[in-house]
Amino acid sequence: MARSINESGSSWVFPDGPLEEIASRCDVITAASLVGSCKFYHDSATQSVALPASQPFGMPCVLHTHQTEVPPAHNPFSRVHKFKQEGAQKDKQHDAKDRKGTLCQLTPLDRISSDAVIPDGGTGMWAGANGDWIALLGFPWNWELVNVYTGRRIPLPPISEFKSTPDKLVFESNDQHLQLLKIAICRVPTAASNYTSFSVLAIFNAAIAVLHCASSRWTVLDNQFLAYGYSDAIIHKGIVFAVTQTGEVYAWNQLSWGPLLISTAPIPPELDEQGRYNLGSWWLARSPDGSRLFLVHTWGVTDGRDYTGLVRILPAAATSEGRHGRTIRGYGKGLLGCEVYSMDTSQLMPPRPWRRIISLGSYSLFLGVNYPIIIPVEDGAEHDRPNMARSNSVYTSHHAVGLAYPPSPEICRFSLNSEDCTVGFQTNIRWTWRQVPLWLIPSFANARQWNLPSRHRLCRGGGEGHWEALTGDNTDLIAAHLDVTYTVRLAACSRELYDRISKDEGKMHHWGEPCLLMPPPAYWFDEHWDWATASRLHDTVYDLVPLDHPRRSVALPFMHDRKWLGANGDWIAAADHHGYQWCLVNVYTERHIPLPSLPASKIDHSSFSYQPAYSFNWGPAIDLLKIVICQVPTKGGRYADYKLIALFDKTIFYLEGGGDWRMLEALTPAPDYPNYCDAIELGGHVFAVDETDGSTYFWDTANENLMLPFVIPPPVVDDQQYAWFLAPSADGKRLMIILTVNKIGIANAEVPPDIPYAANGLQLRQYPPVATYVFELDPLSTARAGDFLWRQVNSLSDHSLFLGLNYPIIANLKKRESKAPDGTLVPFMRKNCVYTAYRNIRYNQYPKILRCNLQPDEGETVGVISLPKDGWDSVRQAAMWFKPALNIARSVLPLKKQ
């Protein structure tokens, strides 16, 4: 498997190969789109051995409704994009517009179901499929052919002879009601014809219409001989064939003749005598080589109708077993059956007789609303049990859309081997009529067709790089199905992918914008856990929540059995769940840097239940608050140039890469230890603030002996309890101290109501204003002068501060407003504000994430993000600020475009 290699030879981008890693995180349709978007991926996919293990490519699958819908926040087809096309004119169907998608399931016969996101028309209904294309029905007359991989849409004209009704499947013609059964896509659109030439049949219960071009009109095929409704129709050798519900077959040659009744039902006498054919369905198909016409009759499959006066076959299941998440039922001989007939249609006047097909050899037929599929199928066994996928078999699903009752069994396998019984299963636990199950084979075999533009040039740059017709629209589709970390890896594969993802026209990723990194809602429960229950932390997918945009997922595999202690840039400080082993890990590359242990001469690591517990060797217990990553490791420094602070409530340890932890002594003697709450490193000095009174200690780290610190008095002295934070100024030259009232609330302990924020699913609250102050000083010049004077900062201008467990983030929000135009809480991201989150990993108060404006209007409230009160402590991962960045992808781009 080809890998993406950077200049230094590192293969961090996709250690196990790009296709395998990305495809494992995509649904099957998106994975196929990814393979088809790049020659590098396509060539790798054709040679990949592991890829088929992650996705059911090339396997017949049942496409059916998922139990859930795609939330708009994670729905790539709901984004607004512009399709860039060569030439002066734009194709109207690709102009920017809202496009919605549907989360579906693809159920292979011998594998667990896979997710699949395919485009639809909002309320569109599947009515047919062939290859890469599906037919979608909207109302009124909003019919389309849609490529499930590229999203290309071809609108179909209305049938002028028919009048629509409130039911999108029912039409009127000459006072006759016509029920649409399905759309047969007999010939798919291709790039060679500029997607304008195809063949489509609209099959109604009492009419058939044919269309060969999007710009032409439907031709309704008259049939004055029709006595019973149609069941199926196809185009074979340019002739339209249709079979009725009683097995009569008609033919039309559009250029000369028709209709012609070429046969009546070839029913065996023993079946006719029992009347079973009345309970069956009739299907048309073509032989594997396309030379002969197949007529298939299946019987015994029932629905919920009342068959008064008929012999009703009740298919009582003889056997039943659970396999791959579904129940497979077997039915005894004589309950369900299937016959296949063949005809040579080279002569139709008079027609040649039907011949019974005893065996399909290595082939199997897949019939349903989709166009007939006949492919070779390999027989095999799994754990000494026969596979559901078998050769010489006929598989059926629904024969029409909008059936009043589901067939039972819903998916059937009829074997033409006389010794095998019929088996079947259902696709959904509860029935959903909006979408009818149909057969689809996920594949990227037609990727070159997807990428042929109208000028028939394969791709830009003489045949290398990314294919032309799959524009950023497709790249966004792929990236929308990846978590943030794997989107960065995708961008690192080539310069073209980086350019497309970095433009981010749909604002899907929000690079460079501070977000909340937190466990997903599924982690929050109403009861407190013991440690055994809390071991669910092994789940390593988290939420990355922009303050005004849909949340994204972020995969952090290295967090298995770990707890984060702090973050800065692309790096996270983490500890194992025992707290013994600390490390630094890069979020995107997963580079792992183990950290040395704390000096045993100074500190003892005690046993604990679910939090790290330590004590001085000479006495009191101390609590680890967080790891402050003051300087991140860099490639230029061989990843040994980091600077860290281990912040405890009563002491501080400092570490420079390649060295050992050094304890920073304070002036206060035992037992009057300081009560630290925050610390940073600035200009070679470590600063720590005491929560008790706001005094700030600072040490010169250049002094190996780390003498006793200077003490900077607090900027405010009063009886108010404050939460204190330290941060560098925007230019990194001055020290800032930020203080907010430690407790907020309303008189009489009233709790304001939660306000759901649809943009990201968070709960907001409004609280009365609280005092928030920012002060700054130049610590080095004031230390030399011996006069520590804090200067109040009344405005952060275009910046905002994001404080918490992470290293302080000073974000430039020039394009944001400082206040909401209408005085409401949203948009929640604003400039000239201070945002505070969890202060440390042991923060045991009801968590509120605050936004405080430094220049509030009179009566302006404090915006609060309220996390669940009950059970929040059991999450064991304190939400912190994280700013996703794409720059790391640029730093490791391959020298040659791939």
Side-chain angles (χ1 to χ4, degrees), residues 90-372:
K90 293 182 179 179
D91 196 343
K92 289 184 179 180
Q93 66 261 31
H94 295 296
D95 285 346
K97 62 179 180 178
D98 290 337
R99 300 197 306 177
K100 296 183 178 180
T102 301
L103 177 62
C104 311
Q105 280 192 319
L106 275 172
T107 299
L109 294 174
D110 293 297
R111 291 176 60 166
I112 295 176
S113 297
S114 303
D115 286 349
V117 176
I118 66 169
D120 70 12
T123 58
M125 177 185 292
W126 308 333
N130 189 355
D132 304 337
W133 297 83
I134 59 174
L136 291 176
L137 304 180
F139 179 84
W141 285 116
N142 184 18
W143 292 6
E144 292 180 307
L145 298 183
V146 182
N147 189 299
V148 296
Y149 304 106
T150 68
R152 180 180 288 274
R153 312 173 88 87
I154 302 175
L156 303 179
I159 303 176
S160 58
E161 292 86 347
F162 297 166
K163 180 182 178 182
S164 62
T165 68
D167 187 337
K168 69 175 64 176
L169 297 179
V170 178
F171 300 84
E172 294 180 352
S173 177
N174 298 326
D175 297 328
Q176 182 182 19
H177 287 275
L178 301 176
Q179 175 84 25
L180 180 67
L181 304 181
K182 61 181 174 180
I183 302 291
I185 308 174
C186 305
R187 181 166 56 91
V188 299
T190 62
S193 65
N194 204 22
Y195 299 99
T196 59
S197 180
F198 48 84
S199 295
V200 173
L201 294 177
I203 306 172
F204 299 83
N205 62 333
I208 290 178
V210 60
L211 178 70
H212 295 292
C213 180
S215 60
S216 63
R217 297 180 55 188
W218 289 89
T219 300
V220 179
L221 304 180
D222 295 326
N223 188 354
Q224 65 272 28
F225 307 112
L226 182 66
Y228 298 94
Y230 293 114
S231 178
D232 198 8
I234 65 170
I235 296 178
H236 175 61
K237 294 184 177 181
I239 299 174
V240 177
F241 291 89
V243 61
T244 68
Q245 297 172 7
T246 54
E248 291 143 346
V249 179
Y250 294 88
W252 292 262
N253 185 326
Q254 291 180 261
L255 299 178
S256 56
W257 50 264
L260 174 67
L261 176 61
I262 64 171
S263 74
T264 56
I267 299 298
E270 67 276 9
L271 188 61
D272 192 17
E273 291 176 358
Q274 299 181 42
R276 294 181 180 179
Y277 73 93
N278 289 289
L279 302 180
S281 296
W282 293 90
W283 320 74
L284 291 175
R286 304 174 68 194
S287 61
D289 60 4
S291 63
R292 301 176 68 85
L293 180 67
F294 279 0
L295 176 64
V296 182
H297 178 230
T298 59
W299 50 268
V301 178
T302 66
D303 51 32
R305 291 177 292 177
D306 181 16
Y307 293 93
T308 305
L310 297 177
V311 179
R312 185 178 182 183
I313 308 299
L314 297 176
T319 61
S320 178
E321 64 170 322
R323 299 191 64 189
H324 308 294
R326 65 194 74 101
T327 300
I328 307 297
R329 290 183 169 85
Y331 300 88
K333 295 181 180 180
L335 293 178
L336 295 91
C338 173
E339 293 86 32
V340 180
Y341 302 91
S342 171
M343 175 186 287
D344 181 358
T345 59
S346 59
Q347 176 182 319
L348 293 177
M349 292 184 280
R352 295 177 177 175
W354 291 106
R355 295 178 56 188
R356 179 90 178 260
I357 299 295
I358 300 176
S359 174
L360 295 173
S362 61
Y363 288 84
S364 284
L365 261 171
F366 297 84
L367 306 174
V369 171
N370 53 282
Y371 202 68

Side-chain angles (χ1 to χ4, degrees), residues 647-666:
L647 179 65
F648 291 82
D649 59 342
K650 297 181 179 65
T651 190
I652 291 176
F653 286 87
Y654 179 71
L655 174 67
E656 292 184 351
D660 294 319
W661 290 100
R662 294 186 289 170
M663 188 175 186
L664 306 186
E665 302 285 354

Side-chain angles (χ1 to χ4, degrees), residues 543-693:
D543 273 2
L544 193 63
V545 189
L547 294 186
D548 295 302
H549 301 285
R551 64 182 65 200
R552 299 291 308 281
S553 61
V554 54
L556 305 176
F558 57 86
M559 289 302 298
H560 176 71
D561 266 345
R562 285 195 175 107
K563 175 186 181 66
W564 59 57
L565 306 176
N568 187 357
D570 304 335
W571 293 83
I572 283 181
D576 67 343
H577 68 273
H578 294 295
Y580 292 111
Q581 298 177 353
W582 294 355
C583 64
L584 293 179
V585 187
N586 189 288
V587 170
Y588 305 110
T589 68
E590 298 181 25
R591 179 182 286 274
H592 179 275
I593 303 175
L595 300 177
S597 301
L598 294 172
S601 61
K602 301 280 188 180
I603 198 169
D604 175 60
H605 188 185
S606 308
S607 60
F608 67 100
S609 57
Y610 59 83
Q611 293 281 15
Y614 305 85
S615 64
F616 289 121
N617 282 342
W618 56 86
I622 57 177
D623 292 330
L624 176 66
L625 304 183
K626 62 180 176 179
I627 299 293
V628 184
I629 308 176
C630 305
Q631 180 172 303
V632 299
T634 63
K635 180 180 177 181
R638 296 183 179 273
Y639 299 101
D641 52 346
Y642 54 86
K643 297 179 181 179
L644 307 178
I645 295 174
L647 179 65
F648 291 82
D649 59 342
K650 297 181 179 65
T651 190
I652 291 176
F653 286 87
Y654 179 71
L655 174 67
E656 292 184 351
D660 294 319
W661 290 100
R662 294 186 289 170
M663 188 175 186
L664 306 186
E665 302 285 354
L667 291 172
T668 55
D672 297 325
Y673 296 103
N675 186 20
Y676 298 122
C677 60
D678 201 6
I680 65 168
E681 189 266 354
L682 181 66
H685 294 74
V686 172
F687 298 86
V689 61
D690 191 324
E691 188 174 30
T692 304
D693 60 0

Side-chain angles (χ1 to χ4, degrees), residues 326-629:
R326 65 194 74 101
T327 300
I328 307 297
R329 290 183 169 85
Y331 300 88
K333 295 181 180 180
L335 293 178
L336 295 91
C338 173
E339 293 86 32
V340 180
Y341 302 91
S342 171
M343 175 186 287
D344 181 358
T345 59
S346 59
Q347 176 182 319
L348 293 177
M349 292 184 280
R352 295 177 177 175
W354 291 106
R355 295 178 56 188
R356 179 90 178 260
I357 299 295
I358 300 176
S359 174
L360 295 173
S362 61
Y363 288 84
S364 284
L365 261 171
F366 297 84
L367 306 174
V369 171
N370 53 282
Y371 202 68
I373 299 172
I374 184 164
I375 58 172
V377 177
E378 294 184 3
D379 291 329
E382 184 181 82
H383 304 295
D384 299 326
R385 293 182 297 178
N387 286 348
M388 270 292 290
R390 303 282 296 276
S391 62
N392 195 30
S393 299
V394 175
Y395 295 81
T396 63
S397 178
H398 296 219
H399 69 274
V401 296
L403 297 177
Y405 300 93
S408 177
E410 186 181 357
I411 307 298
C412 287
R413 184 195 71 196
F414 300 93
S415 176
L416 297 189
N417 297 324
S418 58
E419 65 275 10
D420 292 339
C421 67
T422 301
V423 296
F425 64 90
Q426 306 296 121
T427 59
N428 291 317
I429 298 175
R430 61 176 176 81
W431 186 251
T432 303
W433 284 112
R434 178 170 175 257
Q435 303 292 13
V436 59
L438 51 81
W439 296 100
L440 183 75
I441 300 179
S443 171
F444 51 85
N446 295 327
R448 288 182 176 269
Q449 281 289 325
W450 304 342
N451 291 277
L452 283 175
S454 57
R455 296 184 184 180
H456 308 289
R457 190 178 69 197
L458 176 60
C459 57
R460 181 188 297 116
E464 294 190 6
H466 287 266
W467 282 334
E468 182 81 2
L470 289 181
T471 63
D473 208 22
N474 180 262
T475 303
D476 287 343
L477 173 96
I478 296 166
H481 285 69
L482 300 178
D483 58 82
V484 174
T485 54
Y486 271 77
T487 300
V488 173
R489 294 187 177 202
L490 179 66
C493 287
S494 77
R495 299 185 192 280
E496 286 189 80
L497 275 174
Y498 176 85
D499 291 341
R500 287 176 178 174
I501 292 176
S502 62
K503 289 178 182 177
D504 197 13
E505 295 177 0
K507 287 298 178 186
M508 197 179 304
H509 313 291
H510 308 286
W511 306 115
E513 181 176 304
C515 306
L516 280 172
L517 178 62
M518 57 189 290
Y523 280 37
W524 300 79
F525 296 87
D526 292 333
E527 70 275 0
H528 293 281
W529 291 352
D530 55 20
W531 173 249
T533 308
S535 64
R536 280 185 163 180
L537 275 177
H538 296 181
D539 295 331
T540 56
V541 178
Y542 297 87
D543 273 2
L544 193 63
V545 189
L547 294 186
D548 295 302
H549 301 285
R551 64 182 65 200
R552 299 291 308 281
S553 61
V554 54
L556 305 176
F558 57 86
M559 289 302 298
H560 176 71
D561 266 345
R562 285 195 175 107
K563 175 186 181 66
W564 59 57
L565 306 176
N568 187 357
D570 304 335
W571 293 83
I572 283 181
D576 67 343
H577 68 273
H578 294 295
Y580 292 111
Q581 298 177 353
W582 294 355
C583 64
L584 293 179
V585 187
N586 189 288
V587 170
Y588 305 110
T589 68
E590 298 181 25
R591 179 182 286 274
H592 179 275
I593 303 175
L595 300 177
S597 301
L598 294 172
S601 61
K602 301 280 188 180
I603 198 169
D604 175 60
H605 188 185
S606 308
S607 60
F608 67 100
S609 57
Y610 59 83
Q611 293 281 15
Y614 305 85
S615 64
F616 289 121
N617 282 342
W618 56 86
I622 57 177
D623 292 330
L624 176 66
L625 304 183
K626 62 180 176 179
I627 299 293
V628 184
I629 308 176

